[in-house]
Amino acid sequence: MRVIGLAGWSGAGKTTLLTRLIPEFAGRGVTVSTIKHAHHAFDLDTPGKDSWAHRQAGASEVLISSARRWALLHELRDEPEATLADLLRRLSPVDLVIVEGFKRDPHAKLEVYRAANGKPPLHPEDPSIVAVASDIAFPQAGRPVLGLDDVPAIADLLLARAQPLAEVLARARGEA
C-alpha cells in the first residue's frame, strides 16, 4: 500500500477532486481507499435504529453488516482521537490510500488551492506538500503546480509521489 494526502482549506475542492480521481484510478486498475478527517462531531448512524441504540447504551464498537456492506463504528468515549497511523493500520490492503485532511501530519500531500477562498496557501510553510493543484499559477512554489481540472495529470503525480505505508508509519513514529 502507498499513501498520499490531499490538503487544503475548507472549500478548496478537496472532496470534488477526490471524487474525480477515484474513477480515474479505477479505470487504471488501481484500487483505492480513502481516509477523511472530520473536524467536528459526525454520525453515520440513524437515531432510533438498533445500531444507534447499541452505541447509546455504551457499546465500544458496533459492527453493522448486510449483504452489500459492513461498517464498524468505534466510539472513542474518553479516548484520544485516533492518529492517522492508527487509522492506516486498520485498512484492508489496496494499491493507494488517499487521505483527505490531516494537513498537519508529515505524509506526502497535494495541496488543493482555490484563490476564491481568500486563504493563504499551505505549501510555503509545509515541506510535506509535494505539489499543488490550483486555479491560479504559483511560479515560486518550488514544486509542481497543476490545474485543478487536470485529473489525469494529478493522478499521475499522486501515483508517482505516494509513499509506501511502512515509510508513512515510520515517519509517524519519528523514525524517518
Side-chain angles (χ1 to χ4, degrees):
M1 283 189 354
R2 295 183 305 137
V3 179
I4 190 80
L6 298 183
W9 298 105
S10 179
K14 297 180 302 291
T15 300
T16 299
L17 179 58
L18 187 53
T19 60
R20 294 177 69 199
L21 284 165
I22 293 170
E24 176 73 21
F25 287 126
R28 298 177 184 202
V30 176
T31 57
V32 175
S33 287
T34 63
I35 294 178
K36 165 73 173 132
H37 187 260
H39 293 282
H40 44 76
F42 69 94
D43 207 338
L44 300 176
D45 214 353
T46 305
K49 293 291 186 181
D50 292 349
S51 53
W52 180 86
H54 298 179
R55 287 190 308 117
Q56 294 304 308
S60 295
E61 291 186 329
V62 177
L63 196 146
I64 307 164
S65 179
S66 75
R68 293 188 173 261
R69 71 187 54 89
W70 65 268
L72 178 63
L73 300 175
H74 178 90
E75 287 296 315
L76 292 175
R77 307 272 179 227
D78 293 327
E79 299 171 46
E81 181 177 359
T83 65
L84 177 57
D86 295 334
L87 299 171
L88 286 166
R89 287 185 193 100
R90 292 184 174 270
L91 289 178
S92 298
V94 293
D95 298 321
L96 183 65
V97 177
I98 303 174
V99 178
E100 183 182 340
F102 291 92
K103 69 181 169 213
R104 302 288 181 229
D105 283 54
H107 60 286
K109 296 180 279 293
L110 169 81
E111 178 177 0
V112 179
Y113 182 83
R114 188 171 304 279
N117 261 1
K119 300 275 191 177
L122 301 172
H123 65 270
E125 305 299 323
D126 187 347
S128 66
I129 293 176
V130 299
V132 180
S134 178
D135 59 351
I136 63 169
F138 280 106
Q140 306 301 321
R143 62 207 82 197
V145 178
L146 304 169
L148 269 175
D149 291 323
D150 195 350
V151 173
I154 293 170
D156 289 341
L157 185 135
L158 293 180
L159 288 172
R161 299 293 179 97
Q163 300 171 304
L165 176 62
E167 185 179 316
V168 174
L169 295 176
R171 182 171 284 164
R173 289 190 303 269
E175 298 172 8

